[in-house]
Amino acid sequence: HGVIIKGGEYLEALGATCAMAFDKTGTLTQGRLRVTGVHGVDGFPQDRVVGLAAAIEARSEHPIARAIVEHAGRDAPHEPGVADFEAQVGTGVVATVNGNEVRVGTPGMFPDCVVPPEYQVLQAEGKTVVLVGERDKVVGLIALADTLRPNAPAVLRRLRKMGVHCSPGTTIRLPRQSLAKLAFVTSARGCCRRARSLSSKNCAHGTRLLRCSVMA
């Protein structure tokens, strides 16, 4: 099944595991972002929000950029009106579109602007949210989300039956509909705190915590 086991000691550790913490993207989720909503600020047209973002994100290889371009229905466009593209690590991208500076990214890209209240609301729902700005003003927001793997609930349910406490709640942010599918796990919020407190230094009485992730 494509599983690599580095040694017998790791199999022995599985037998003593009582808590399992899952990595974020690509483990319980498919690792493919998609746009779930577009919001214009102060009546700014939603199609223009997507158009501005896609025009400059087409020059980026970031997963968020690809999701926005796909949502816009464009195949990596290189419009003549886009120039001076620059990617700022950890915050977003900036470029000139038809003579106007356009920024797409986190609030860090807009230090002098007021972040719309929808930003926090969407983040609380587990969405990844990017701001879109034109000429020193935030004109819209684009919300994105990952998709829960179809077999994730069944896998976690089986682990719980085996006596393993699973805690995706501390390491993964999902839309409400996905959290509902994992309710049998996230309802046990005490397990999240327990798993977070465990480490190689403070595991008492033979308790073991297994951290899981999937490499694409």
Side-chain angles (χ1 to χ4, degrees):
H1 297 286
V3 177
I4 298 177
I5 301 174
K6 295 183 178 180
E9 61 181 299
Y10 301 102
L11 290 176
E12 294 177 1
L14 282 174
T17 297
C18 73
M20 188 172 293
F22 288 85
D23 195 4
K24 188 182 178 183
T25 303
T27 304
L28 298 181
T29 65
Q30 295 181 358
R32 294 192 297 270
L33 289 169
R34 59 184 177 84
V35 173
T36 60
V38 180
H39 303 263
V41 176
D42 295 332
F44 198 85
Q46 294 182 2
D47 58 344
R48 284 208 62 205
V49 173
V50 175
L52 288 173
I56 63 176
E57 291 286 25
R59 288 152 175 77
S60 173
E61 295 296 327
H62 195 279
I64 291 178
R66 291 197 296 267
I68 292 175
V69 172
E70 289 176 4
H71 180 77
R74 302 175 181 181
D75 186 15
H78 290 275
E79 300 181 5
V82 179
D84 303 323
F85 173 85
E86 179 184 353
Q88 300 184 6
V89 179
T91 55
V93 294
V94 58
T96 301
V97 180
N98 296 324
N100 296 322
E101 184 181 77
V102 174
R103 294 174 177 265
V104 181
T106 68
M109 296 286 291
F110 306 91
D112 300 322
C113 299
V114 177
V115 177
E118 293 89 350
Y119 183 87
Q120 297 294 341
V121 174
L122 292 167
Q123 276 205 325
E125 294 177 356
K127 305 289 181 63
T128 295
V129 188
V130 296
L131 301 175
V132 181
E134 183 181 31
R135 291 181 294 186
D136 298 325
K137 180 182 179 181
V138 176
V139 298
L141 306 88
I142 299 177
L144 305 96
D146 206 343
T147 303
L148 188 68
R149 288 182 182 270
N151 62 340
V155 170
L156 296 182
R157 188 179 296 112
R158 184 175 181 181
L159 287 171
R160 288 199 66 190
K161 287 183 178 179
M162 294 170 61
V164 178
H165 297 283
C166 305
S167 64
T170 58
T171 55
I172 187 170
R173 302 187 69 179
L174 295 170
R176 291 185 185 276
Q177 60 268 30
S178 296
L179 288 176
K181 295 178 182 178
L182 294 175
F184 57 88
V185 174
T186 56
S187 60
R189 303 196 68 83
C191 295
C192 297
R193 291 190 294 271
R194 178 183 181 185
R196 185 170 63 245
S197 66
L198 295 176
S199 69
S200 59
K201 294 182 180 180
N202 63 12
C203 286
H205 309 297
T207 299
R208 289 181 180 270
L209 169 67
L210 181 64
R211 296 181 175 87
C212 295
S213 62
V214 173
M215 293 185 294

